[in-house]
mmCIF file of all heavy atoms in Angstrom:
data_model
loop_
_atom_site.group_PDB
_atom_site.id
_atom_site.type_symbol
_atom_site.label_atom_id
_atom_site.label_comp_id
_atom_site.label_asym_id
_atom_site.label_seq_id
_atom_site.Cartn_x
_atom_site.Cartn_y
_atom_site.Cartn_z
ATOM 1 N N ARG A 27 -25.882 -3.945 -0.761
ATOM 2 C CA ARG A 27 -27.188 -3.392 -0.380
ATOM 3 C C ARG A 27 -28.282 -3.904 -1.317
ATOM 4 O O ARG A 27 -29.398 -4.221 -0.882
ATOM 5 C CB ARG A 27 -27.136 -1.853 -0.427
ATOM 6 C CG ARG A 27 -26.638 -1.233 0.868
ATOM 7 C CD ARG A 27 -26.742 0.283 0.819
ATOM 8 N NE ARG A 27 -25.539 0.853 0.218
ATOM 9 C CZ ARG A 27 -24.519 1.351 0.909
ATOM 10 N NH1 ARG A 27 -24.580 1.395 2.224
ATOM 11 N NH2 ARG A 27 -23.460 1.833 0.304
ATOM 12 N N ASP A 63 3.250 -13.849 -2.778
ATOM 13 C CA ASP A 63 4.377 -12.934 -2.649
ATOM 14 C C ASP A 63 5.245 -13.334 -1.451
ATOM 15 O O ASP A 63 6.468 -13.409 -1.544
ATOM 16 C CB ASP A 63 3.827 -11.513 -2.478
ATOM 17 C CG ASP A 63 4.909 -10.452 -2.576
ATOM 18 O OD1 ASP A 63 6.026 -10.701 -2.098
ATOM 19 O OD2 ASP A 63 4.637 -9.366 -3.109
ATOM 20 N N ASP A 69 2.225 -22.932 2.655
ATOM 21 C CA ASP A 69 1.478 -23.838 3.520
ATOM 22 C C ASP A 69 -0.018 -23.586 3.276
ATOM 23 O O ASP A 69 -0.533 -22.509 3.556
ATOM 24 C CB ASP A 69 1.860 -23.488 4.968
ATOM 25 C CG ASP A 69 1.157 -24.363 5.987
ATOM 26 O OD1 ASP A 69 0.178 -25.046 5.636
ATOM 27 O OD2 ASP A 69 1.597 -24.338 7.148
ATOM 28 N N GLU A 72 -2.208 -22.018 6.095
ATOM 29 C CA GLU A 72 -2.144 -20.569 6.303
ATOM 30 C C GLU A 72 -2.833 -19.828 5.160
ATOM 31 O O GLU A 72 -3.516 -18.826 5.382
ATOM 32 C CB GLU A 72 -0.687 -20.102 6.442
ATOM 33 C CG GLU A 72 0.085 -20.760 7.588
ATOM 34 C CD GLU A 72 -0.564 -20.571 8.954
ATOM 35 O OE1 GLU A 72 -1.428 -19.700 9.115
ATOM 36 O OE2 GLU A 72 -0.208 -21.334 9.877
ATOM 37 N N ALA A 75 -6.409 -19.734 5.933
ATOM 38 C CA ALA A 75 -6.762 -18.782 6.996
ATOM 39 C C ALA A 75 -6.794 -17.363 6.442
ATOM 40 O O ALA A 75 -7.631 -16.544 6.835
ATOM 41 C CB ALA A 75 -5.755 -18.882 8.150
ATOM 42 N N GLN A 82 -15.741 -13.919 4.721
ATOM 43 C CA GLN A 82 -16.166 -13.574 6.087
ATOM 44 C C GLN A 82 -16.622 -12.114 6.143
ATOM 45 O O GLN A 82 -17.654 -11.798 6.738
ATOM 46 C CB GLN A 82 -15.004 -13.818 7.059
ATOM 47 C CG GLN A 82 -15.333 -13.476 8.505
ATOM 48 C CD GLN A 82 -14.242 -13.938 9.468
ATOM 49 O OE1 GLN A 82 -13.522 -14.906 9.211
ATOM 50 N NE2 GLN A 82 -14.115 -13.253 10.595
ATOM 51 N N GLN A 93 -30.151 -6.179 8.260
ATOM 52 C CA GLN A 93 -30.676 -5.575 9.489
ATOM 53 C C GLN A 93 -31.164 -4.152 9.214
ATOM 54 O O GLN A 93 -32.181 -3.718 9.745
ATOM 55 C CB GLN A 93 -29.606 -5.585 10.574
ATOM 56 C CG GLN A 93 -29.274 -6.983 11.086
ATOM 57 C CD GLN A 93 -28.085 -6.999 12.035
ATOM 58 O OE1 GLN A 93 -27.521 -5.960 12.363
ATOM 59 N NE2 GLN A 93 -27.694 -8.180 12.492
ATOM 60 N N ARG A 100 -28.130 -12.962 10.711
ATOM 61 C CA ARG A 100 -26.810 -13.046 11.328
ATOM 62 C C ARG A 100 -25.869 -13.861 10.420
ATOM 63 O O ARG A 100 -26.307 -14.681 9.614
ATOM 64 C CB ARG A 100 -26.834 -13.650 12.738
ATOM 65 C CG ARG A 100 -27.061 -15.138 12.802
ATOM 66 C CD ARG A 100 -26.475 -15.749 14.092
ATOM 67 N NE ARG A 100 -25.073 -16.085 13.929
ATOM 68 C CZ ARG A 100 -24.401 -16.882 14.765
ATOM 69 N NH1 ARG A 100 -24.993 -17.378 15.840
ATOM 70 N NH2 ARG A 100 -23.130 -17.181 14.549
ATOM 71 N N SER A 101 -24.576 -13.584 10.566
ATOM 72 C CA SER A 101 -23.580 -14.338 9.813
ATOM 73 C C SER A 101 -23.248 -15.618 10.570
ATOM 74 O O SER A 101 -23.237 -15.653 11.798
ATOM 75 C CB SER A 101 -22.316 -13.504 9.632
ATOM 76 O OG SER A 101 -21.728 -13.215 10.887
ATOM 77 N N GLN A 106 -18.462 -22.030 12.631
ATOM 78 C CA GLN A 106 -19.540 -21.862 13.605
ATOM 79 C C GLN A 106 -20.701 -22.798 13.334
ATOM 80 O O GLN A 106 -21.396 -23.220 14.262
ATOM 81 C CB GLN A 106 -20.029 -20.401 13.608
ATOM 82 C CG GLN A 106 -19.042 -19.449 14.278
ATOM 83 C CD GLN A 106 -19.373 -17.990 14.069
ATOM 84 O OE1 GLN A 106 -20.037 -17.621 13.109
ATOM 85 N NE2 GLN A 106 -18.898 -17.142 14.964
ATOM 86 N N ASN A 150 -9.336 -28.724 13.117
ATOM 87 C CA ASN A 150 -9.946 -27.528 13.715
ATOM 88 C C ASN A 150 -9.413 -26.238 13.095
ATOM 89 O O ASN A 150 -9.367 -25.194 13.737
ATOM 90 C CB ASN A 150 -9.753 -27.492 15.238
ATOM 91 C CG ASN A 150 -10.716 -26.519 15.926
ATOM 92 O OD1 ASN A 150 -11.885 -26.417 15.520
ATOM 93 N ND2 ASN A 150 -10.240 -25.798 16.924
ATOM 94 N N ARG B 40 7.839 -9.376 6.425
ATOM 95 C CA ARG B 40 9.058 -10.172 6.246
ATOM 96 C C ARG B 40 10.124 -9.748 7.258
ATOM 97 O O ARG B 40 10.835 -10.584 7.815
ATOM 98 C CB ARG B 40 9.600 -9.988 4.822
ATOM 99 C CG ARG B 40 8.988 -10.940 3.820
ATOM 100 C CD ARG B 40 9.667 -10.824 2.460
ATOM 101 N NE ARG B 40 9.038 -9.769 1.673
ATOM 102 C CZ ARG B 40 8.118 -9.989 0.740
ATOM 103 N NH1 ARG B 40 7.746 -11.218 0.448
ATOM 104 N NH2 ARG B 40 7.572 -8.999 0.083
ATOM 105 N N ASP B 76 -20.616 2.489 6.754
ATOM 106 C CA ASP B 76 -21.300 2.863 5.523
ATOM 107 C C ASP B 76 -22.584 2.050 5.369
ATOM 108 O O ASP B 76 -23.651 2.574 5.070
ATOM 109 C CB ASP B 76 -20.340 2.624 4.345
ATOM 110 C CG ASP B 76 -20.868 3.212 3.046
ATOM 111 O OD1 ASP B 76 -22.084 3.165 2.833
ATOM 112 O OD2 ASP B 76 -20.055 3.694 2.238
ATOM 113 N N ASP B 82 -24.821 -3.658 14.341
ATOM 114 C CA ASP B 82 -24.777 -4.806 15.235
ATOM 115 C C ASP B 82 -23.299 -5.117 15.521
ATOM 116 O O ASP B 82 -22.540 -5.467 14.627
ATOM 117 C CB ASP B 82 -25.436 -5.979 14.498
ATOM 118 C CG ASP B 82 -25.464 -7.256 15.312
ATOM 119 O OD1 ASP B 82 -24.746 -7.335 16.330
ATOM 120 O OD2 ASP B 82 -26.211 -8.175 14.919
ATOM 121 N N GLU B 85 -21.711 -8.411 14.180
ATOM 122 C CA GLU B 85 -21.297 -8.468 12.774
ATOM 123 C C GLU B 85 -20.058 -7.605 12.553
ATOM 124 O O GLU B 85 -19.155 -7.973 11.800
ATOM 125 C CB GLU B 85 -22.442 -8.012 11.848
ATOM 126 C CG GLU B 85 -23.726 -8.831 11.974
ATOM 127 C CD GLU B 85 -23.513 -10.323 11.723
ATOM 128 O OE1 GLU B 85 -22.488 -10.713 11.142
ATOM 129 O OE2 GLU B 85 -24.386 -11.106 12.144
ATOM 130 N N ALA B 88 -17.151 -9.640 13.446
ATOM 131 C CA ALA B 88 -16.825 -10.678 12.446
ATOM 132 C C ALA B 88 -16.088 -10.058 11.259
ATOM 133 O O ALA B 88 -15.185 -10.661 10.685
ATOM 134 C CB ALA B 88 -18.100 -11.378 11.967
ATOM 135 N N GLN B 95 -6.450 -11.506 11.276
ATOM 136 C CA GLN B 95 -6.385 -12.892 10.810
ATOM 137 C C GLN B 95 -5.471 -12.996 9.591
ATOM 138 O O GLN B 95 -4.642 -13.906 9.495
ATOM 139 C CB GLN B 95 -7.806 -13.378 10.474
ATOM 140 C CG GLN B 95 -7.846 -14.812 9.950
ATOM 141 C CD GLN B 95 -9.271 -15.340 9.829
ATOM 142 O OE1 GLN B 95 -10.173 -14.907 10.557
ATOM 143 N NE2 GLN B 95 -9.490 -16.270 8.920
ATOM 144 N N GLN B 106 7.870 -19.494 7.963
ATOM 145 C CA GLN B 106 8.165 -20.774 7.305
ATOM 146 C C GLN B 106 9.198 -20.582 6.193
ATOM 147 O O GLN B 106 10.072 -21.426 5.995
ATOM 148 C CB GLN B 106 6.876 -21.386 6.745
ATOM 149 C CG GLN B 106 5.910 -21.852 7.833
ATOM 150 C CD GLN B 106 4.572 -22.294 7.262
ATOM 151 O OE1 GLN B 106 4.353 -22.276 6.059
ATOM 152 N NE2 GLN B 106 3.647 -22.691 8.126
ATOM 153 N N SER B 114 -0.473 -20.155 12.550
ATOM 154 C CA SER B 114 -1.387 -19.154 13.092
ATOM 155 C C SER B 114 -2.399 -19.832 14.010
ATOM 156 O O SER B 114 -2.800 -20.975 13.784
ATOM 157 C CB SER B 114 -2.121 -18.450 11.950
ATOM 158 O OG SER B 114 -2.916 -19.371 11.232
ATOM 159 N N GLN B 119 -9.605 -20.485 17.983
ATOM 160 C CA GLN B 119 -8.923 -21.781 17.966
ATOM 161 C C GLN B 119 -8.168 -22.040 19.263
ATOM 162 O O GLN B 119 -8.022 -23.187 19.683
ATOM 163 C CB GLN B 119 -7.950 -21.846 16.774
ATOM 164 C CG GLN B 119 -8.664 -22.016 15.439
ATOM 165 C CD GLN B 119 -7.761 -21.841 14.241
ATOM 166 O OE1 GLN B 119 -6.740 -21.162 14.317
ATOM 167 N NE2 GLN B 119 -8.139 -22.416 13.121
ATOM 168 N N ASN B 163 -20.203 -18.104 21.189
ATOM 169 C CA ASN B 163 -19.417 -18.781 20.141
ATOM 170 C C ASN B 163 -19.216 -17.910 18.912
ATOM 171 O O ASN B 163 -19.074 -18.406 17.793
ATOM 172 C CB ASN B 163 -20.072 -20.115 19.731
ATOM 173 C CG ASN B 163 -19.086 -21.039 19.002
ATOM 174 O OD1 ASN B 163 -17.900 -21.092 19.362
ATOM 175 N ND2 ASN B 163 -19.544 -21.738 17.981
#
Side-chain angles (χ1 to χ4, degrees):
Chain A
R27 273 186 273 262
D63 190 323
D69 180 345
E72 302 303 344
Q82 179 171 332
Q93 291 173 3
R100 74 155 274 195
S101 63
Q106 287 169 336
N150 197 38
Chain B
R40 273 186 273 262
D76 190 323
D82 180 346
E85 301 303 342
Q95 179 171 332
Q106 291 173 1
S114 63
Q119 286 170 335
N163 198 38

